[in-house]
Every structure is written in structure tokens, then in C-alpha cells.
Amino acid sequence: MGKMSVDLAISARRARRVLSEEPIGSSIVDGLIEAMRLSPSCYNNQPWNVIVVRSPDALEAVKANLPRGNSWALSSPLVLAIISKAPDDCQLSDGRDYNLFDCGIAVGEMLLQATSLGIIAHPIAGYDPIATKKVLGVPEEYTLITLVICGHPGSDTSMLSEKQLEQEGQRPARKPVGQNFHEDLWGSGF
Ligand SMILES: Cc1cc2nc3c(=O)[nH]c(=O)nc-3n(C[C@H](O)[C@H](O)[C@H](O)COP(=O)(O)O)c2cc1C
């Protein structure tokens, strides 16, 4: 698949759950990594650590720690584990720790890159964080922020709940703009 414009990638990106088991080629993996490498961060701290999980053994160990609601992820050939700790990024005196923010930007850019390359990339929070950190050898002081479940689009919908099946076809609704965007003043609506 060719490259997309950014506005097309933004509208085409979806947290899809029907993945093929087909391996993802290394040039695509390199493209995902490059999107994260080039993303902005406070003081250029680049607080993300990423484990590219793609060997059969490592994938199996990670997948063993998913809840039933994320069974759709079992067919994935590539999982990106995003790991960080607050001291690796700006920590301002009023409590602003920027590591999660900067990892979020990097993942966001990578999701668009994946979309542009025709790959589903779906971040999840639903996994056993302690067990998953352990199988990946992540030191205790780090936070495993998300697993990004990747795959080529698939066709087997048997792992999806009814709700997930519905969401597959239709993007979950967003809040109306006036609810959380404001014009000039908090609470003014937009
Ligand atoms: C931090 C984060 C955690 C998520 N965790 C899960 C998850 O555990 N399981 C799942 O099926 N989807 C998960 N999602 C996907 C969201 O449900 C999805 O992005 C949202 O419903 C909007 O749908 P869309 O991305 O297709 O527009 C997660 C998304 C994010 C950003």
C-alpha cells in the first residue's frame, strides 16, 4: 500500500481487532520504529523504550497474560511494548512529569505511520502489567505503558464480542466538540 496524507491517515486509523497471523515485514517494522524515533519530546529526552515482540516464544509469553476481552490480540504477529519511567524525561516542580505524554505522542505518530502502511496498530491497556513486565525482563522501576497490538487486516471475527464486532464496522462515537473544547475560557463551549 502506498503512503497516505496525514489527514487521510488520521481519519482511516482505527483500533481494529480483526488481525491476520501473516508476519509483518521488517521494512514495515523499521517504518514504525522511525516514526517513534522522530517524534518530539521534552528536551529531546526520548523517554520511550520499545520491545519489539515478534519471536513465537516471546509472543506466546505476552499473549498468556491477556484477559479474555483481548483474545482478539492472540493472532497478532507483532506486539510493541512501550516502556518508560518518569526520571527519564522532564519532571517539573509543579508535578508535571512528561514521560507518559511524550510516549503518547510517539505512539500516536506510530499509529498513523502504521495506518499509512496498511497495518492495524491497536494500543491496549488490558493486560497483566506485572506478569508481562516479568516475561519481557523489564526492570521493576519502569512502567509498561501499553502494548501496541499490530497485524495485517484479517477476516476471522470469531474472537470478537458482539460489541467489538459492532465497533469493528463503526468508530465509537466521540464527545460533541462543545463538551471538552472551549473558546477562550474554561466552560465556554466551542
Ligand atoms: C490507552 C488505550 C488503551 C486501550 N485499551 C484497549 C484494550 O485493552 N482493549 C481493546 O480492545 N481496546 C483498547 N483500546 C482501544 C480503544 O477502545 C479505541 O481506541 C477507542 O474505542 C476508539 O476507537 P478508534 O480508535 O477505533 O477510533 C485502547 C486504546 C487506548 C488509546
Side-chain angles (χ1 to χ4, degrees):
M1 176 178 279
K3 301 248 168 143
M4 289 180 182
S5 64
V6 173
D7 62 338
L8 188 53
I10 287 170
S11 57
R13 185 214 57 78
R14 286 290 323 279
R16 290 204 172 77
R17 298 182 174 92
V18 185
L19 309 179
S20 146
E21 292 180 11
E22 181 193 340
I24 292 181
S26 57
S27 66
I28 290 179
V29 176
D30 290 348
L32 302 183
I33 290 172
E34 192 64 0
M36 298 193 75
R37 286 186 68 236
L38 295 184
S39 78
S41 59
C42 189
Y43 222 72
N44 196 25
N45 278 320
Q46 305 161 65
W48 44 82
N49 282 270
V50 182
I51 302 182
V52 178
V53 182
R54 55 181 164 176
S55 77
D57 286 353
L59 283 167
E60 192 183 320
V62 167
K63 290 173 184 178
N65 295 297
L66 295 175
R68 210 183 356 183
N70 279 337
S71 296
W72 56 267
L74 294 176
S75 46
S76 168
L78 172 71
V79 176
L80 303 178
I82 312 296
I83 296 146
S84 183
K85 62 177 165 48
D88 288 347
D89 204 349
C90 298
Q91 296 190 276
L92 305 190
S93 57
D94 59 349
R96 276 178 286 152
D97 288 355
Y98 278 98
N99 70 306
L100 300 180
F101 180 87
D102 288 344
C103 287
I105 296 175
V107 169
E109 302 227 343
M110 182 262 281
L111 301 183
L112 295 183
Q113 176 80 305
T115 304
S116 169
L117 296 170
I119 295 294
I120 295 165
H122 181 151
I124 62 168
Y127 50 84
D128 179 330
I130 295 169
T132 310
K133 273 175 67 174
K134 194 165 179 193
V135 299
L136 293 174
V138 178
E140 199 186 328
E141 65 271 26
Y142 285 85
T143 301
L144 174 56
I145 301 166
T146 187
L147 298 175
V148 184
I149 310 297
C150 302
H152 290 278
S155 54
D156 180 5
T157 57
S158 62
M159 297 289 217
L160 269 58
S161 69
E162 214 163 295
K163 185 169 179 216
Q164 289 172 335
L165 200 54
E166 181 193 316
Q167 290 184 348
E168 197 68 9
Q170 195 177 358
R171 192 195 291 280
R174 298 310 202 245
K175 296 174 183 176
V177 171
Q179 196 172 319
N180 54 341
F181 292 80
H182 313 264
E183 180 101 29
D184 294 329
L185 190 66
W186 178 269
S188 62
F190 188 89

